[in-house]
Amino acid sequence: MDLKEAIMRRFLRKLMNLNMWGGKHTEIKNLQKSLPDHLRGTKEMKKAVKELINGGFLNVKPSTGELHISLNSHKQKEIYDFLQENGKNEANNYN
């Protein structure tokens, strides 16, 4: 598993743990707090967020000058499948 997929998994798990489905949303910078300092704001992190949005896993809502995101409740099964299939061969790619 590459670094971008590991970041995507971490973001999805973080949003699931915070129960950010549908109308409940948070700023993107709050997701960055789940990453180590050397990965915050990197190209890989931005690509991971963009791919999650393009894949339909995240809803985007412009709010208070910042983009807020939440999990797409209509893609709940696909999100769980993505986490399970990529979780089988998980390695620690954050360090």
Side-chain angles (χ1 to χ4, degrees):
M1 175 172 28
D2 66 345
L3 182 60
K4 182 180 71 169
E5 286 183 9
I7 292 171
M8 289 169 62
R9 286 180 39 76
R10 171 121 353 151
F11 285 169
L12 289 173
R13 283 196 318 261
K14 170 90 172 176
L15 288 169
M16 288 172 69
N17 289 341
L18 294 173
N19 200 26
M20 294 288 173
W21 294 96
K24 189 173 177 187
H25 48 85
T26 187
E27 290 185 36
I28 291 177
K29 69 180 179 181
N30 289 332
L31 278 185
Q32 294 179 16
K33 294 176 186 177
S34 66
L35 295 174
D37 289 339
H38 68 280
L39 291 177
R40 295 180 186 178
T42 61
K43 287 181 183 178
E44 290 87 5
M45 192 236 30
K46 292 176 183 175
K47 286 180 184 177
V49 170
K50 187 177 281 191
E51 189 167 326
L52 287 171
I53 292 170
N54 291 341
F57 289 170
L58 298 180
N59 295 325
V60 180
K61 175 186 186 289
S63 178
T64 64
E66 178 78 24
L67 286 181
H68 284 217
I69 57 173
S70 65
L71 292 168
N72 186 350
S73 57
H74 299 292
K75 295 266 187 170
Q76 192 169 5
K77 183 182 182 328
E78 290 89 344
I79 291 171
Y80 284 120
D81 290 345
F82 176 80
L83 290 174
Q84 274 199 323
E85 79 181 33
N86 289 322
K88 292 179 184 172
N89 300 323
E90 183 175 353
N92 189 2
N93 290 322
Y94 299 111
N95 296 324

